[in-house]
Amino acid sequence: TMAKRLAKEKKQLEDDPLDNATAGPDDDSNILQWTAMIMGPEDTPYDGGVFNVSMTFPPEYPFKPPKVQFTTKIYHPNIDKLGRICLDVLKDKWSPALQIRTVLLSIQALLSSPEPDDPLDTTVADHFKQNKKDAENIARQWNQLYATSS
């Protein structure tokens, strides 16, 4: 069942945690609503940032992907102002064999290498294409403003 599957994934993440991400249910009464925390990868504009991501699991999980959304503001061509993420594993490349761990790793990879040619936010994507250095500076500023606790 879905609840069993989510409980198993939760235990795996606790027993064998990822280096730069954590995820778990918001509270024990609702296994379908999780929060993940993803650390910005080193040597990127997101370095040092901690990004909160909400994960909502459909009743059909794992046959349908979770709905995953950034709740921390981020300046990135593949993440729009509402925090929605353009990521193949959350859409057509989803398969029941994939796990929450895969999703977290995929999001980190997206932070490491933005894909302005497959944008969700075209304004940001154009900025990354026309003046990558300037776009990365804004990403850094947003990182400081919204994603770091200091």
Side-chain angles (χ1 to χ4, degrees):
T1 66
M2 180 233 3
K4 229 185 228 152
R5 163 83 182 241
L6 283 171
K8 189 175 139 198
E9 290 199 46
K10 176 176 177 272
K11 186 167 171 10
Q12 283 173 335
L13 284 166
E14 289 165 352
D15 294 347
D16 181 17
L18 291 166
D19 286 341
N20 297 310
T22 61
D26 291 355
D27 66 67
D28 295 333
S29 65
N30 183 5
I31 188 91
L32 294 180
Q33 186 59 52
W34 288 34
T35 298
M37 281 170 68
I38 296 174
M39 317 302 155
E42 281 180 23
D43 305 321
T44 72
Y46 313 105
D47 194 350
V50 178
F51 298 90
N52 288 319
V53 176
S54 78
M55 305 178 99
T56 310
F57 294 91
E60 303 84 0
Y61 184 82
F63 301 102
K64 284 203 175 140
K67 187 170 171 264
V68 182
Q69 220 164 336
F70 273 72
T71 53
T72 305
K73 281 181 72 150
I74 184 170
Y75 195 76
H76 190 291
N78 310 107
I79 301 160
D80 71 8
K81 288 178 180 56
L82 299 174
R84 293 176 303 200
I85 309 164
C86 179
L87 196 57
D88 55 0
V89 296
L90 294 174
K91 299 195 171 69
D92 52 336
K93 296 276 190 294
W94 176 259
S95 110
L98 296 178
Q99 297 187 329
I100 297 160
R101 173 182 297 269
T102 325
V103 171
L104 296 173
L105 291 168
S106 300
I107 293 171
Q108 278 189 308
L110 191 65
L111 292 183
S112 293
S113 46
E115 299 278 350
D117 292 326
D118 182 22
L120 198 57
D121 189 317
T122 48
T123 318
V124 177
D126 289 344
H127 193 184
F128 267 81
K129 280 194 210 172
Q130 286 153 11
N131 189 338
K132 189 167 184 220
K133 202 174 169 198
D134 189 51
E136 287 185 339
N137 281 336
I138 291 185
R140 261 184 215 98
Q141 287 167 8
W142 281 38
N143 193 41
Q144 288 290 310
L145 279 171
Y146 306 113
T148 49
S149 49
S150 53

